[in-house]
Amino acid sequence: MATTDGTRTSTTPPEEASTAQLVRQLTEQVRTLVTDEVELAKVEMTAKGKAVGVGAGLAGAGTVLALGGGLAVITAAIAALALVLPVWAAALIVAAVLLLAGGALALAGKKQITDGVPPVPREAIDSTKHDVDTVRTELRR
């Protein structure tokens, strides 16, 4: 297939292509490669952002449960334990249980946040480095 300038398009075998055609093909391939790498980076950043969001939600839920959710049962738990222990000991035991549950949820949230940070598209960077190395190797031949 011929273009407007009379040269053939990328269907020409590389060994028969002119320098201008090869440069044009290289330009098209580099453009496609860069576009694909940017798209990969977008997908990776979206996934990491979602992981941070989930982690923040878990941390928030842990905080709510540790500070607010347990308040509904604290009085009943303290009163029940106060039947066999002094009131101060019953309150201390209930507080320790609530703090442990909240701490466990907060640690789970921290792990989710750590998995998403730093928000760097590692796969896209590694793939781009590999592509650059491949091009360098081919150019040295």
Side-chain angles (χ1 to χ4, degrees):
M1 170 187 264
T3 61
T4 56
D5 64 358
T7 59
R8 295 183 56 126
T9 59
S10 62
T11 58
T12 305
E15 58 274 357
E16 295 177 14
S18 68
T19 303
Q21 288 173 319
L22 291 174
V23 169
R24 189 176 311 113
Q25 288 174 4
L26 176 64
T27 303
E28 290 172 10
Q29 290 172 352
V30 168
R31 184 180 310 125
T32 301
L33 180 62
V34 168
T35 302
D36 290 347
E37 294 299 340
V38 168
E39 187 61 31
L40 176 61
K42 286 180 188 177
V43 169
E44 193 174 348
M45 293 301 290
T46 299
K48 287 189 178 236
K50 286 180 183 178
V52 170
V54 168
L58 284 172
T63 301
V64 168
L65 284 177
L67 299 176
L71 292 177
V73 296
I74 288 175
T75 304
I78 292 172
L81 282 174
L83 296 174
V84 292
L85 297 171
V87 174
W88 66 267
L92 190 60
I93 291 170
V94 170
V97 169
L98 289 173
L99 287 173
L100 287 173
L105 286 171
L107 286 175
K110 179 187 178 295
K111 182 184 179 317
Q112 286 290 318
I113 291 171
T114 302
D115 289 346
V117 175
V120 176
R122 283 281 155 220
E123 290 179 29
I125 291 170
D126 292 342
S127 176
T128 301
K129 286 180 182 178
H130 176 72
D131 294 340
V132 168
D133 289 341
T134 301
V135 169
R136 282 184 186 156
T137 303
E138 289 300 318
L139 288 176
R140 288 184 184 142
R141 286 187 178 182

